[in-house]
Amino acid sequence: MNGRELKEICAVSNLGESISGSAERAVAAALNVLLPPAKAAQYSADDDYAGCTGWFTSEHGDKDKMAKDLAPHKKEIFAAWKYSSNVSTKYKRVRKYGAELAYTDLYTLEEREQHNAELAAETGETGETGETGGKPSRNRDLYERGVVEQGTLYRAWTSATNDDIIKKHPKSERIQASLVHLTKALQELGAPLDDEELADFMKKVAKR
């Protein structure tokens, strides 16, 4: 947590180099340090928490050890954000970020690539129009595919949690060179490059 108290992290959107990304993502990262998550017994692409268990899987009303350990930290977060219009919505995003960060920390690059391959096989999308070889699926507009698929890769490659993985990857230079072209491609499609703005843009495009 770089010497920062949780309430300090909640209070700002960015503390220079001490915190990477939004305050919500930073809070999630801090909670992952305070209450380390673990891999789930079995990974599932349908799992809302990306195959991980931890404080972010704790629901309101739970009385197990995790819920008790989380309680004082959650109280501190809600107190720091008491003037926000909707603290529950902010905390919901924090839980989502916590699961995403845990996933990239707990699963190797090879495991994540395997999960992506399994998901692609499960959805059955193969052709430029989302053809499935017999399995019904909504055809995806090519612009939508460009934004969503390239945006997903861009977010993975620019995630702070993947920095070390990319630097140590045997194809690191090629990945970084490709990122330059990927960035330009997203800009040409009219997509923002800020992580949260890009995520929202991808959702809007997918719902058209």
Side-chain angles (χ1 to χ4, degrees):
M1 292 172 64
N2 295 323
R4 301 286 182 182
E5 291 187 9
L6 192 55
K7 62 182 179 182
E8 291 183 82
I9 298 174
C10 292
V12 295
S13 295
N14 199 313
L15 285 177
E17 296 180 357
S18 298
I19 295 176
S20 176
S22 71
E24 292 167 4
R25 188 179 290 274
V27 169
L31 286 172
N32 279 2
V33 172
L34 293 167
L35 304 170
K39 283 185 177 181
Q42 184 175 358
Y43 174 83
S44 171
D46 296 327
D47 182 5
D48 290 338
Y49 301 106
C52 302
T53 60
W55 60 269
F56 41 78
T57 59
S58 183
E59 300 290 349
H60 180 70
D62 286 354
K63 300 183 182 300
D64 57 9
K65 184 179 184 302
M66 178 57 71
K68 292 178 181 178
D69 290 342
L70 173 63
H73 302 302
K74 186 176 179 181
K75 182 178 180 180
E76 187 176 2
I77 292 169
F78 274 63
W81 284 340
K82 62 183 178 181
Y83 296 115
S84 297
S85 58
N86 195 329
V87 180
S88 295
T89 298
K90 288 172 70 72
Y91 184 69
K92 183 178 180 180
R93 289 196 295 265
V94 169
R95 291 175 64 187
K96 174 178 174 290
Y97 289 141
E100 290 178 352
L101 293 169
Y103 177 70
T104 55
D105 283 341
L106 297 173
Y107 288 89
T108 65
L109 178 62
E110 290 74 17
E111 287 175 319
R112 299 201 301 274
E113 288 177 344
Q114 179 61 34
H115 295 161
N116 288 335
E118 291 173 358
L119 179 60
E122 186 176 317
T123 57
E125 290 189 359
T126 55
E128 289 300 310
T129 59
E131 295 170 358
T132 63
K135 185 177 179 180
S137 174
R138 177 177 67 84
N139 287 349
R140 294 181 65 185
D141 175 79
L142 293 181
Y143 175 78
E144 176 190 336
R145 287 193 65 185
V147 170
V148 174
E149 293 177 11
Q150 292 183 98
T152 299
L153 183 58
Y154 177 85
R155 293 185 70 206
W157 281 0
T158 57
S159 170
T161 57
N162 285 335
D163 281 348
D164 287 340
I165 294 174
I166 292 176
K167 288 177 182 177
K168 295 175 183 177
H169 196 282
K171 302 290 186 182
S172 177
E173 290 186 4
R174 293 191 178 185
I175 292 175
Q176 293 181 57
S178 296
L179 179 58
V180 175
H181 298 288
L182 183 60
T183 301
K184 182 173 178 57
L186 284 171
Q187 290 176 321
E188 292 292 341
L189 290 170
L193 298 180
D194 175 80
D195 186 70
E196 289 190 16
E197 292 179 5
L198 177 57
D200 289 339
F201 185 77
M202 289 162 60
K203 291 177 182 177
K204 291 177 182 177
V205 168
K207 291 179 179 179
R208 291 187 311 164

